[in-house]
Amino acid sequence: MTAISLKGVSHTFETRRTKLRALEDIDLEIGENEFVTLVGRSGCGKSTLLRMMAGLLRPTAGQVEVGGQAVTKPRRDVSLMFQRSALLPWRTVIENVMLPVEILRLDRRAHRTRAEQLLALTGLEGFEDRRPNELSGGMQQRVALCRALVHDPSVLLMDEPFAALDALTREELSLELQRIWGEERKTIVFVTHSIQEATLLADRIVVMSPRPGRIARILPVGADRPRSLGVTAAHDGELDRVGAELHELLFAREPAGVPLSLQEPERNR
């Protein structure tokens, strides 16, 4: 079943003096409970695409659908997580997690229980009454993840959520997100510049061409889950194979010396 559908989606940013084509003719279908990563050079329109899925930006052409309905504004069943946690410093951990519940005017008692369960799931049990400045950067992003999930959205959009963290914390949270997704089973679209993150997390990797962003290639990742990193990882070389192909797409010229930006985009199923 399709959770997100993009049909002929293009977007142009316009000012009085200039026009900038950010995206052009994007066709993509994302299945229910699928984990998809978006990868491409800076400026290729990954974040723009995510914001259109979230209803924060309208496409210049084409249509974005979630659950078979056109996206024309933000939806309560779609949650967006940014690169920085953006926690409110005067609120406690549990109060930050509960913020969407207050905004959406949901049942506080039921969602308080869910908030506590999510904090326990992410290893933050016992930190409910702490303030953000008492937490590490990785812990703050865990709180932001709990906040994004507390109202039980069907779709979670993640815009480089671990990019500002150190390498070890980033790897730890990537593994943690994989585990949480295995339990929560949301449709996740995850923007990243990291080849390692993309291959570890994704069912499919959508490779974007340089601006104007197009879908240059879609790479399926066939490795079994749960996945791990390092020399003890047993995936029959699948993650290494996909990672090598992704690296070649992003940094080399192919086929026959043709730059990625000039290749014919592939259509998804």
Side-chain angles (χ1 to χ4, degrees):
M1 184 174 180
T2 300
I4 303 172
S5 178
L6 297 96
K7 303 173 182 178
V9 170
S10 300
H11 189 77
T12 300
F13 291 101
E14 293 191 38
T15 66
R16 290 184 177 182
R17 296 182 179 180
T18 62
K19 290 185 178 182
L20 179 66
R21 288 190 304 157
L23 293 166
E24 188 171 276
D25 197 24
I26 301 291
D27 289 323
L28 178 65
E29 290 188 358
I30 297 172
E32 188 174 349
N33 300 331
E34 188 177 16
F35 201 128
V36 169
T37 56
L38 300 181
V39 181
R41 297 293 187 108
S42 294
C44 72
K46 302 183 299 297
S47 295
T48 299
L49 196 58
L50 214 64
R51 281 159 174 75
M52 287 194 287
M53 294 180 195
L56 300 177
L57 190 64
R58 298 287 295 273
T60 305
Q63 183 164 284
V64 179
E65 296 180 355
V66 171
Q69 297 180 336
V71 176
T72 58
K73 60 182 180 181
R75 299 165 52 112
R76 65 192 301 170
D77 60 341
V78 177
S79 192
L80 179 59
M81 184 176 172
F82 296 100
Q83 184 176 124
R84 299 193 178 275
S85 63
L87 301 179
L88 300 179
W90 60 88
R91 297 178 69 118
T92 64
V93 164
I94 193 71
E95 288 170 347
N96 269 287
V97 174
M98 288 289 286
L99 186 60
V101 176
E102 297 174 22
I103 293 172
L104 296 172
R105 299 182 179 180
L106 304 175
D107 182 271
R108 289 179 59 84
R109 181 176 297 179
H111 286 83
R112 170 81 185 211
T113 299
R114 175 164 171 78
E116 292 170 348
Q117 291 171 344
L118 286 169
L119 289 171
L121 183 65
T122 55
L124 291 172
E125 189 173 13
F127 289 87
E128 292 86 351
D129 296 324
R130 299 289 184 92
R131 306 281 179 180
N133 64 356
E134 299 178 90
L135 307 178
S136 68
M139 294 171 75
Q140 290 180 23
Q141 282 300 81
R142 290 172 188 260
V143 175
L145 178 59
C146 292
R147 181 181 59 192
L149 292 172
V150 71
H151 58 295
D152 200 23
S154 59
V155 174
L156 178 58
L157 308 175
M158 309 183 77
D159 194 357
E160 297 192 73
F162 308 145
L165 304 175
D166 65 85
L168 289 177
T169 303
R170 184 170 183 164
E171 181 175 319
E172 179 187 22
L173 287 185
S174 294
L175 293 169
E176 186 76 0
L177 177 60
Q178 179 187 201
R179 182 182 65 82
I180 293 169
W181 174 77
E183 297 188 25
E184 289 283 315
R185 298 304 291 178
K186 305 293 182 185
T187 302
I188 296 182
V189 183
F190 187 103
V191 169
T192 182
H193 282 98
S194 168
I195 290 175
Q196 186 180 64
E197 273 182 356
T199 54
L200 176 71
L201 294 170
D203 294 316
R204 289 185 299 153
I205 302 170
V206 177
V207 186
M208 304 285 293
S209 71
R211 190 170 59 236
R214 304 179 180 92
I215 295 178
R217 194 73 57 86
I218 296 177
L219 304 178
V221 185
D224 294 335
R225 296 182 186 273
R227 300 171 186 167
S228 58
L229 299 168
V231 295
T232 60
H235 301 298
D236 298 324
E238 172 69 0
L239 297 188
D240 290 339
R241 182 194 66 77
V242 175
E245 185 174 355
L246 181 55
H247 187 277
E248 186 174 358
L249 280 167
L250 293 173
F251 294 102
R253 291 172 171 262
E254 67 158 28
V258 180
L260 178 63
S261 59
L262 298 182
Q263 293 178 42
E264 182 68 19
E266 289 193 1
R267 303 293 187 188
N268 189 21
R269 58 186 183 208

